[in-house]
Amino acid sequence: MRTSWSVNSTEEIRFGAGAVQELPDLCRKFDAENIVIVTDQGIVNAGILEKVEAVMAEFKVFVYDKALPEPPVESAVECLEAAKSEMHPDLIIGLGGGSSIDLAKVVALLLEHGGAPEDYYGEHQVPGPVAPLIAIPTTAGTGSEVTSVTVLTDKKKQIKTGISANELRPKAALLDPELTLKLPAYVTACSGIDALSHAVEALTAKESSYIEAEGKLLFQGANPISDALALQAIKHIVPNLALAVHQGSNLEARKEMMLGSLLAGQAFSNAGTAAAHALAYPIGGRTSSPHGELTGLLLPYVVDFNRPAAKGKIAEAERAVNPQSALIDDDEAALLFVERLFELLEDIGLPVTLEEIGLDEAALPDVAEQALNVARLVRNNPRKPDVKSFTALLERAYRGREYA
Ligand SMILES: [Fe+2]
């Protein structure tokens, strides 16, 4: 039995509409003069980089605007070399969705410790603190501004890979919901439902003492602090996601989503995610669906699958958004939450079956097997899956909620 757990977090969080104005103050705290901003073309085209650069007049700034989804590791080397040819960088800023922030994490790592990205693949391979890093998210979903993980592509080895270590958590996160006002509805839906799956999977994760693994873990299973963060995240996301999707200019809804995503990031980067994320990886390799579309689609089926083992936690989630469910028992409340997830997916216009996203039905047993290999996530799942039960879950997700 594991006898202790820990909670790690980004040290400083600044949150609020217009908070981007506080960026210079934050940079001064790090005594920074030469700053690298890592971002992407979408952020440039949306005018967000311009907004950020406008407040940075007192600093020397180098902009790398070529971040790509699941960034190729070569981009980190390219960014750092280009920046170093013009300055001695002393602070990195990741501005954008998860990809820009993930890339900025690797740039901060290489700036401090040198070497090549592949020297650090896997968990706990980072030898010490990385260069100062500020994350400014422009979507509400990944939680990357507070997490210890990066998702990368190694083109040479033709693999999807990652670097995960507590040292990669940004030193500071600056969250300004005004930066998300122009996010398209589909991106809002995918990123928002991913944030909800982070919260729900962290809440229902197996309790940390029962995680079947030895040694130091990044994803440690649920503890009382991750539970509190995850429940709060659910409270903020559930009533606001559809509003943010259908009424993108609603600043209050955007603020709630950004807060929910932040809380969910803090919860899952300690407790871990589970079956919905484990299943999403092999499906992601077979379809073109974005990560959030997959975790969102799988979530109600996974929560339903987990009901026998985690009905109390699932009922808590329902009670967090529906006070009247305090009067019904856990079984009924947990069922209501599953129904709520299906309705939410339909409301925000995302697919609810694996058939809709073009997955080959014959691939389901292979998907189940590959998902079971994602040990760091599967061991967090409250109900222990096997190939048979995962395949049955996938068959239901393929045919729809009515199929049992
Ligand atoms: Fe996710």
Side-chain angles (χ1 to χ4, degrees):
M1 198 166 175
R2 300 178 69 86
T3 52
S4 67
W5 48 266
S6 65
V7 171
N8 293 278
S9 182
T10 288
E11 284 169 23
E12 180 165 356
I13 292 164
R14 295 205 190 185
F15 186 98
V20 82
Q21 301 298 327
E22 295 178 28
L23 182 58
D25 181 52
L26 209 46
C27 295
R28 274 181 236 121
K29 284 182 80 171
F30 294 105
D31 291 327
E33 288 174 7
N34 299 305
I35 298 172
V36 178
I37 298 181
V38 180
T39 189
D40 64 63
Q41 278 303 309
I43 299 301
V44 177
N45 296 337
I48 294 175
L49 175 66
E50 204 180 340
K51 230 177 159 180
V52 171
E53 279 187 306
V55 300
M56 296 291 280
E58 70 190 85
F59 305 99
K60 185 167 181 189
V61 172
F62 173 86
V63 175
Y64 180 83
D65 59 8
K66 299 189 201 96
L68 298 169
E70 288 169 3
V73 293
E74 294 78 8
S75 311
V77 179
E78 181 188 273
C79 165
L80 197 54
E81 276 173 7
K84 277 180 164 173
S85 70
E86 288 192 19
M87 58 164 66
H88 291 289
D90 45 28
L91 173 69
I92 312 295
I93 294 176
L95 169 69
S99 306
S100 294
I101 297 174
D102 280 6
L103 183 59
K105 288 175 179 174
V106 185
V107 173
L109 164 64
L110 296 182
L111 175 60
E112 186 64 33
H113 297 290
E118 63 190 60
D119 301 341
Y120 309 100
Y121 288 174
E123 287 193 4
H124 304 300
Q125 300 302 316
V126 176
V130 304
L133 172 63
I134 298 175
I136 310 177
T138 58
T139 62
T142 68
S144 186
E145 67 275 13
V146 291
T147 70
S148 55
V149 295
T150 62
V151 181
L152 304 164
T153 311
D154 186 324
K155 279 190 190 156
K156 259 189 267 161
K157 294 186 177 167
Q158 292 191 319
I159 52 163
K160 238 191 224 185
T161 183
I163 304 174
S164 303
N166 273 319
E167 290 82 359
L168 289 185
R169 288 179 203 266
K171 275 273 171 303
L174 191 149
L175 295 97
D176 185 341
E178 284 181 1
L179 301 183
T180 66
L181 284 173
K182 288 185 185 156
L183 265 188
Y186 176 66
V187 182
T188 304
C190 290
S191 47
I193 201 80
D194 189 34
L196 183 58
S197 38
H198 296 156
V200 172
E201 292 217 283
L203 178 70
T204 56
K206 204 185 269 182
E207 199 193 310
S208 63
S209 0
Y210 300 111
I211 298 294
E212 292 169 357
E214 294 286 0
K216 199 166 122 188
L217 303 176
L218 277 173
F219 289 171
Q220 307 166 64
N223 65 59
I225 294 180
S226 63
D227 281 356
L229 290 163
L231 267 178
Q232 280 301 316
I234 292 165
K235 258 188 194 174
H236 288 280
I237 294 170
V238 169
N240 288 287
L241 176 51
L243 196 54
V245 169
H246 298 301
Q247 202 186 89
S249 63
N250 185 323
L251 183 59
E252 202 47 40
R254 293 292 193 182
K255 201 167 138 187
E256 289 292 302
M257 285 307 299
M258 199 165 223
L259 184 55
S261 163
L262 166 72
L263 292 161
Q266 288 178 308
F268 96 83
S269 66
N270 288 289
T273 54
H277 277 74
L279 289 162
Y281 288 120
I283 298 172
R286 290 169 161 86
T287 66
S288 54
S289 291
H291 170 79
E293 186 168 275
L294 296 176
T295 57
L297 188 161
L298 291 162
L299 188 64
Y301 299 101
V302 166
V303 173
D304 201 31
F305 174 82
N306 285 335
R307 271 193 305 121
K311 65 176 180 186
K313 284 282 188 74
I314 302 166
E316 267 188 79
E318 177 63 19
R319 290 180 187 124
V321 293
N322 170 15
Q324 283 175 341
S325 59
L327 304 171
I328 56 179
D329 67 14
D330 284 358
D331 286 306
E332 217 179 317
L335 258 180
L336 279 182
F337 192 68
V338 174
E339 280 305 305
R340 179 182 297 284
L341 292 173
F342 278 120
E343 279 162 22
L344 185 54
L345 271 180
E346 278 163 11
D347 196 359
I348 61 177
L350 289 183
V352 290
T353 68
L354 293 173
E355 188 179 16
E356 284 172 74
I357 61 164
L359 184 69
D360 179 5
E361 194 177 2
L364 300 184
D366 287 345
V367 168
E369 210 152 319
Q370 286 165 355
L372 284 169
N373 290 332
V374 193
R376 70 183 207 292
L377 305 184
V378 168
R379 69 182 173 224
N380 285 332
N381 203 63
R383 177 175 164 193
K384 197 171 185 168
D386 56 23
V387 177
K388 200 174 155 216
S389 61
F390 252 1
T391 305
L393 188 166
L394 287 165
E395 269 165 13
R396 188 162 177 241
Y398 188 85
R399 295 183 192 181
R401 64 207 276 201
E402 307 306 337
Y403 178 81

